[in-house]
C-alpha cells in the first residue's frame, strides 16, 4: 500500500460582482424575502456578468489558488474542473482553464457530479498523486447555474448562485492531508434533479426551449429528504475510514444547499453550529463551487488552522454524495 500523504496546499475562490437579493427576486417571481430566508437561509446570491462564463470564474479562482500555493501554472500536472454548467458540451472547461492560465504541462478533464463535483474531483485528483503519477493537481469547482435557472420558477429560481473555488493538491507531511473519504451514487434518483434537454436524449429544439426543458428541474421535497439522510451517513463513513469520530471534527464545511439541511447534518453529528462553516446567506447554492468557496473563506479568515480536522461533505444531482476528512496542514 502506498503511504504517500496528499492534501490541499493552496486555495482560492472567486464570486462575480453582481449581487441579486431576495428583494430583487420578489420583482420577478412569486416569492418573498421572508419565505426564502426562513426556508433556505439564503439572503442573496451572485450572478455572472453577460461576458463571464464558468471557465472565467474558474480561471480567477485557479490563479488565486496557485498564488496561495506559491506555484507557477507550469508546475501543475493535471487540472480537473467539476461543473454542471460547462462553457460548452465539449471541449472540457478544464481545457479552457488550462489555456487561460498557460498550464502547459497539465492534462485536463471535467467531472460531472453536480454539487458533489468538487469532492469527486478532489478525491480523484489525490489518487494521481498517491500513485506517484503526478505531483501537483489543480481541482476546481465552478458554476454559472444562473444560465440554467428559470427565473420565473419559484421552486428553483431562488436557490442557485454563481462562483468558483479552486484547490492545489500536493504531498503533505506524514499524518496530514486527506485521512478518509466516501463517494457514492444512486442513479435511481436521476429524475429528481436534472436539466432535461440539450443532451443526446432530448437535443435542443424550438419545442424544448418553449417548454423550458433547458432549465434546472427539481423535486425539491425528495432532494431535501435524500440530502438530510445522506449528509450524516457519508460523513460517518469517511470518519470510519479515517479511524476518527464525529467528536474529532474541528470544522465541518458542508455543501451550501439549504440551511435546514446543514442544521440537520450538524445535529446528526452532535456538532454545535459554531463548528460549521456557513456562507449560504451570501451566495446561495453555488453547486460544485460551494465547498471550496466556504473552505477558502474559513481558512483565509483564520478559523481553520494547521492540525485541525476538517470534514468536507456534499450531495447533489445524480444522485451523488461525497465526503472527505482532512487534517489541515498549511
Ligand atoms: N417562495 C414562496 N413560496 C414558495 C416558494 C418560494 N420560492 N417555493 C415554494 N413555495 C411554497 C409552495 O408552493 C408551498 O405552498 P403550499 O403549501 O401552498 O402548497 C409551500 O411554499 C411549501 O413548499 P415546499 O416545496 O414544501 O417547501 P420546502 O420547505 O420543501 O422548501 C425547497 C422548498 C427550499 C426547494 C426545499 O425543498 C429544498 O431546499 N430542497 C433541497 C433542494 C436542494 O438542495 N437542491 C440542490 C441539490 S444540489 C445540486 O446537485 C444542484
Amino acid at each position: 500500500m502506498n503511504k504517500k500523504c496528499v492534501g490541499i496546499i493552496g486555495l482560492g475562490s472567486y464570486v462575480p460582482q453582481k449581487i441579486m437579493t431576495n428583494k430583487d427576486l420578489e420583482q420577478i417571481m412569486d416569492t418573498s424575502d421572508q419565505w426564502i430566508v426562513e426556508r433556505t437561509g439564503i439572503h442573496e446570491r451572485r450572478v455572472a456578468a453577460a461576458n463571464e462564463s464558468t471557465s472565467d470564474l474558474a480561471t480567477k479562482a485557479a490563479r488565486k489558488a496557485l498564488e496561495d500555493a506559491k506555484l507557477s501554472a507550469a508546475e501543475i500536472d493535471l487540472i480537473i474542473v467539476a461543473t454542471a454548467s460547462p462553457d460548452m458540451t465539449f471541449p472540457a472547461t478544464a481545457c479552457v482553464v488550462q489555456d487561460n492560465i498557460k498550464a502547459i504541462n497539465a492534462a485536463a478533464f471535467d467531472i460531472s457530479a453536480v454539487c458533489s463535483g468538487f469532492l469527486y474531483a478532489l478525491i480523484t485528483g489525490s489518487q494521481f498523486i498517491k500513485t506517484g503519477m503526478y505531483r501537483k493537481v489543480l481541482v476546481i469547482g465552478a458554476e454559472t447555474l444562473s444560465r440554467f435557472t428559470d427565473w420565473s420558477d419559484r421552486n428553483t429560481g431562488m436557490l442557485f448562485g454563481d462562483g468558483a473555488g479552486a484547490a492545489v493538491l500536493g504531498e503533505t507531511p506524514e499524518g496530514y492531508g486527506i485521512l478518509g473519504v466516501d463517494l457514492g451514487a444512486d442513479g435511481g434518483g436521476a429524475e429528481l434533479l436534472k436539466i432535461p434537454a440539450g443532451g443526446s436524449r432530448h437535443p435542443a429544439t424550438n419545442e424544448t426551449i418553449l417548454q423550458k426543458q433547458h432549465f434546472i428541474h427539481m423535486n425539491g421535497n425528495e432532494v431535501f429528504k435524500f440530502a438530510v439522510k445522506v449528509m450524516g451517513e457519508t460523513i460517518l463513513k469517511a470518519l470510519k475510514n479515517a479511524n476518527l469520530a464525529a467528536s474529532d471534527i474541528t470544522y465541518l464545511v458542508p455543501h451550501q444547499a439549504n440551511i435546514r439541511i446543514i442544521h440537520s447534518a450538524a445535529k446528526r453529528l452532535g456538532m454545535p453550529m459554531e463548528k460549521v462553516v456557513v456562507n449560504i446567506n451570501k451566495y446561495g447554492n453555488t453547486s460544485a463551487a460551494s465547498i471550496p468557496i466556504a473552505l477558502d473563506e474559513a481558512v483565509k479568515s483564520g478559523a481553520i488552522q494547521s492540525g485541525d480536522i476538517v470534514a468536507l461533505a456534499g450531495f447533489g444531482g445524480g444522485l451523488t454524495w461525497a465526503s472527505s476528512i482532512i487534517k489541515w496542514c498549511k
Side-chain angles (χ1 to χ4, degrees):
M1 198 181 123
N2 199 314
K3 292 275 183 207
K4 205 173 274 189
C5 296
V6 180
I8 294 173
I9 60 166
L11 275 170
S13 62
Y14 173 79
V15 290
Q17 300 302 307
K18 186 180 169 192
I19 296 173
M20 188 178 267
T21 65
N22 293 344
K23 287 277 174 207
D24 295 330
L25 288 184
E26 284 179 1
Q27 311 304 313
I28 54 174
M29 68 173 78
D30 179 17
T31 192
S32 68
D33 174 51
Q34 189 190 356
W35 192 97
I36 300 173
V37 171
E38 281 176 12
R39 304 308 291 167
T40 71
I42 301 168
H43 291 248
E44 57 188 45
R45 69 285 296 141
R46 300 299 177 102
V47 176
N51 63 353
E52 272 181 324
S53 68
T54 295
S55 66
D56 297 315
L57 310 192
T59 298
K60 286 183 173 152
R63 288 197 172 115
K64 290 185 187 179
L66 285 172
E67 197 184 325
D68 192 39
K70 299 184 177 59
L71 288 176
S72 72
E75 290 172 275
I76 296 297
D77 303 306
L78 172 65
I79 300 172
I80 309 177
V81 172
T83 186
S85 45
D87 281 20
M88 296 164 268
T89 301
F90 74 81
T93 300
C95 292
V96 183
V97 174
Q98 187 241 18
D99 183 51
N100 286 349
I101 64 173
K102 302 294 172 225
I104 50 171
N105 298 309
F109 63 86
D110 287 358
I111 275 188
S112 170
V114 201
C115 302
S116 312
F118 177 77
L119 290 177
Y120 263 71
L122 178 94
I123 294 164
T124 304
S126 71
Q127 304 309 309
F128 284 95
I129 301 174
K130 271 189 184 290
T131 59
M133 182 170 171
Y134 291 139
R135 287 163 53 82
K136 300 285 187 293
V137 176
L138 176 62
V139 292
I140 308 169
E143 304 282 8
T144 45
L145 282 179
S146 62
R147 301 274 153 75
F148 301 90
T149 298
D150 177 0
W151 292 103
S152 65
D153 175 13
R154 70 177 186 172
N155 294 310
T156 55
M158 74 297 176
L159 287 177
F160 301 104
D162 299 338
V168 179
L169 307 182
E171 210 171 324
T172 53
E174 205 182 330
Y176 287 84
I178 299 167
L179 304 181
V181 299
D182 179 53
L183 281 177
D186 175 8
E191 292 298 313
L192 298 179
L193 185 51
K194 61 180 179 181
I195 296 177
S200 61
R201 170 109 19 223
H202 299 296
T205 61
N206 287 343
E207 203 179 18
T208 62
I209 289 173
L210 284 173
Q211 291 170 351
K212 300 186 172 186
Q213 297 291 304
H214 57 299
F215 289 133
I216 298 166
H217 289 242
M218 179 178 74
N219 181 331
N221 291 324
E222 288 303 316
V223 173
F224 190 93
K225 280 189 242 165
F226 152 74
V228 163
K229 181 172 173 288
V230 83
M231 280 292 275
E233 283 176 7
T234 183
I235 297 165
L236 290 172
K237 277 191 196 158
L239 280 167
K240 192 170 175 204
N241 207 240
N243 284 319
L244 291 172
S247 55
D248 294 314
I249 298 174
T250 324
Y251 280 104
L252 168 63
V253 185
H255 170 45
Q256 312 281 313
N258 185 314
I259 192 68
R260 293 183 290 138
I261 296 171
I262 296 174
H263 283 154
S264 124
K267 195 171 166 201
R268 170 97 188 259
L269 298 168
M271 291 183 67
M273 283 306 288
E274 301 82 69
K275 291 174 134 198
V276 184
V277 177
V278 174
N279 65 6
I280 190 171
N281 51 317
K282 295 190 288 183
Y283 306 132
N285 177 350
T286 57
S287 188
S290 96
I291 291 173
I293 294 173
L295 181 62
D296 185 39
E297 289 192 346
V299 171
K300 300 273 160 67
S301 75
I304 293 177
Q305 301 275 337
S306 202
D308 284 351
I309 299 292
V310 181
L312 312 179
F315 64 92
L319 300 167
T320 55
W321 58 90
S323 46
S324 178
I325 308 296
I326 300 177
K327 185 165 183 181
W328 202 255
C329 165
K330 189 96 203 313

